Amino acid sequence: MIVPEKDIKIIRKEFENKNERIPDRIRLGNHFVDDFIFDGNESFDIPINALRVIFNIISIIGNEQFRPDDRPKQLTLFDEEFETENNTFASIKIKNSKISPSGSSKQVVAAYEFLTKFKMGWYKSLNSKGKEIKTFGGLISIPCYDHRGYTTFLISSYWLKKLLVIPEYNYILYNLVYNIRNNKHIIFAIWLSKLPENGTTLKLSTLNNKFGLNYKSANDFCFKFLKPVKISLEKYNDLSFNYSCRRDLISINPFNTKEVPIETSPKIANVKTEVTRRLNYFKQRYGLKNSEMVQFSYQYRTISQTRELIERSFKEFIKRNRLIRKKSTEFQGKLFLNVLQEFMIMEYRKTKVGELIPNGYPTII
């Protein structure tokens, strides 16, 4: 009897996180991100538990990741180990609670089923000697429960190479897949990590296609999708973004967030008290509703640079009203925020960053 080639699997190596080490960050190779998570102008709707599997795979193999320019011999060793025969695999074991912290076996099974079927097919690559190596399957194959509380599966040499050999990569926080439950927010964070420092401007249709959305206007995309993502990332990630839109164009500009320090000194506590007092002043004097305070309060309380920009803009707002002999309190509620936002845009564009990225201003509405 002849065994079909796709059923013959050669297992070269076993990976397991024996000490249960949890990294702060993992390195996502750009080739893997481009081929597996994004395909051209679209991202795939990978469920959150399947994303946890991916993050844990990278966590377990992280010590063996390398840039070929830095370690050319390591690439040769990889070829010798994994790319001399077809259908060569590595075995990986992951604790089930890493995939479903709630202990749901259905969630674990669904995650592995998705990754087994997703992009299943024949894959080809050339080793260093120019020989074509073929493997069959999805990212993972043959998940099984040979150890209570764990799942063991195979990962093909094709996908393993994209995860291990990373000429270009970006860091992303490991805990993001546990702190944020919306899979599209995670996928957006991965895409954001690949943007240049000066950001990007894309059409609404392009962004709708990229993230599998169907918003009718750029304004809807910003406030119904980008705004919740931004709030999530500024709470849990080390990279967030500012956004703005004009007609059907949407500008997205990433920036590094800073971890909010624990209040261990009177000085820090005093700053928080002053911020709260100031926000109450704005709310009462300009008739702001609780719903209108959400974004304004978050920006003012969380990001010190934005707080300084708001205060400079507010001074200009007061100065302008005095010149035209108009009471600032005539601007109430959303009207006040709209006018203040206009002053913020003007003040922001006076800065060096504003000259380079004119649409990168923070939004308070």
Side-chain angles (χ1 to χ4, degrees):
M1 176 181 176
I2 299 175
V3 180
E5 185 179 6
K6 73 175 184 178
D7 293 332
I8 302 173
K9 291 179 170 57
I10 303 166
I11 302 173
R12 292 292 192 199
K13 193 167 186 174
E14 294 183 0
F15 291 96
E16 183 180 355
N17 188 8
K18 293 182 179 179
N19 60 8
E20 295 296 330
R21 181 186 64 87
I22 299 175
D24 292 329
R25 303 185 298 171
I26 59 173
R27 294 183 292 183
L28 276 171
N30 286 352
H31 290 169
F32 174 77
V33 169
D34 291 341
D35 291 352
F36 194 81
I37 299 177
F38 295 94
D39 186 5
N41 210 32
E42 291 184 41
S43 65
F44 294 102
D45 200 23
I46 303 173
I48 187 67
N49 290 318
L51 288 169
R52 287 174 180 167
V53 174
I54 294 170
F55 274 45
N56 277 281
I57 291 173
I58 298 171
S59 169
I60 291 170
I61 68 174
N63 288 338
E64 300 200 30
Q65 289 178 308
F66 64 93
R67 293 181 69 248
D69 288 347
D70 298 336
R71 294 157 65 187
K73 289 184 179 180
Q74 193 74 13
L75 182 59
T76 301
L77 291 173
F78 180 89
D79 280 356
E80 291 173 355
E81 190 170 18
F82 287 99
E83 295 210 300
T84 56
E85 299 177 82
N86 294 332
N87 270 328
T88 303
F89 292 78
S91 171
I92 297 182
K93 180 187 286 187
I94 297 178
K95 200 171 185 178
N96 292 339
S97 60
K98 295 281 189 182
I99 311 310
S100 176
S102 66
S104 168
S105 58
K106 288 184 179 180
Q107 291 179 356
V108 174
V109 169
Y112 285 112
E113 282 187 354
F114 176 88
L115 291 175
T116 300
K117 297 172 183 177
F118 182 58
K119 290 200 168 186
M120 178 185 284
W122 279 104
Y123 292 94
K124 302 175 183 179
S125 62
L126 293 177
N127 64 15
S128 57
K129 296 180 180 179
K131 180 181 177 180
E132 184 178 83
I133 302 298
K134 297 183 290 183
T135 53
F136 180 82
L139 175 65
I140 69 171
S141 300
I142 319 178
C144 61
Y145 310 102
D146 57 354
H147 180 178
R148 184 175 177 82
Y150 288 80
T151 299
T152 302
F153 54 88
L154 304 182
I155 180 168
S156 73
S157 59
Y158 177 85
W159 290 113
L160 184 63
K161 187 172 186 178
K162 288 185 180 293
L163 291 169
L164 282 180
V165 185
I166 47 175
E168 297 176 354
Y169 63 87
N170 290 287
Y171 283 104
I172 195 155
L173 296 184
Y174 169 81
N175 276 330
L176 212 58
V177 287
Y178 299 101
N179 291 329
I180 298 176
R181 295 192 176 186
N182 189 314
N183 65 325
K184 287 188 183 294
H185 290 196
I186 304 290
I187 291 168
F188 184 92
I190 293 170
W191 175 76
L192 184 69
S193 71
K194 294 175 81 268
L195 289 188
E197 289 184 3
N198 61 347
T200 188
T201 298
L202 297 170
K203 288 184 176 181
L204 169 65
S205 57
T206 301
L207 287 168
N208 267 334
N209 290 336
K210 183 168 288 294
F211 296 105
L213 302 168
N214 190 33
Y215 289 105
K216 302 299 182 183
S217 70
N219 192 64
D220 280 352
F221 186 92
C222 286
F223 290 99
K224 294 180 181 179
F225 179 66
L226 291 182
K227 184 177 178 180
V229 175
K230 178 178 169 68
I231 291 172
S232 292
L233 297 189
E234 288 182 0
K235 187 174 182 181
Y236 296 115
N237 199 23
D238 57 2
L239 186 69
S240 185
F241 62 98
N242 289 317
Y243 60 86
S244 60
C245 62
R246 186 177 182 183
R247 296 190 181 93
D248 70 336
L249 293 177
I250 299 170
S251 297
I252 298 172
N253 305 102
F255 66 85
N256 290 314
T257 61
K258 291 184 179 180
E259 190 173 331
V260 179
I262 299 173
E263 293 174 38
T264 56
S265 71
K267 183 178 179 181
I268 294 173
N270 288 339
V271 169
K272 183 174 181 181
T273 301
E274 176 60 25
V275 166
T276 301
R277 186 195 66 77
R278 191 65 169 154
L279 285 170
N280 287 335
Y281 167 82
F282 285 121
K283 182 179 180 180
Q284 294 171 12
R285 187 166 178 78
Y286 297 100
L288 295 169
K289 299 176 183 176
N290 288 336
S291 59
E292 294 168 337
M293 285 291 294
V294 174
Q295 177 73 355
F296 176 60
S297 176
Y298 182 81
Q299 292 281 11
Y300 191 93
R301 190 183 296 279
T302 309
I303 307 167
S304 60
Q305 297 96 321
T306 303
R307 183 160 64 245
E308 292 168 5
L309 176 62
I310 290 172
E311 289 293 351
R312 290 202 310 271
S313 304
F314 181 68
K315 286 180 181 178
E316 292 300 314
F317 165 72
I318 295 296
K319 187 187 296 184
R320 193 279 307 268
N321 285 322
R322 284 174 179 167
L323 285 173
I324 61 174
R325 296 183 178 180
K326 189 171 187 177
K327 291 183 179 180
S328 68
T329 49
E330 291 183 26
F331 298 88
Q332 292 287 301
K334 198 166 184 179
L335 177 60
F336 166 72
L337 292 179
N338 284 328
V339 174
L340 184 59
Q341 180 75 75
E342 292 175 5
F343 277 94
M344 286 176 62
I345 293 171
M346 289 188 287
E347 290 300 304
Y348 168 81
R349 287 176 175 168
K350 292 177 184 177
T351 65
K352 290 184 179 180
V353 175
E355 292 175 2
L356 294 172
I357 313 170
N359 293 323
Y361 51 83
T363 56
I364 58 170
I365 305 170

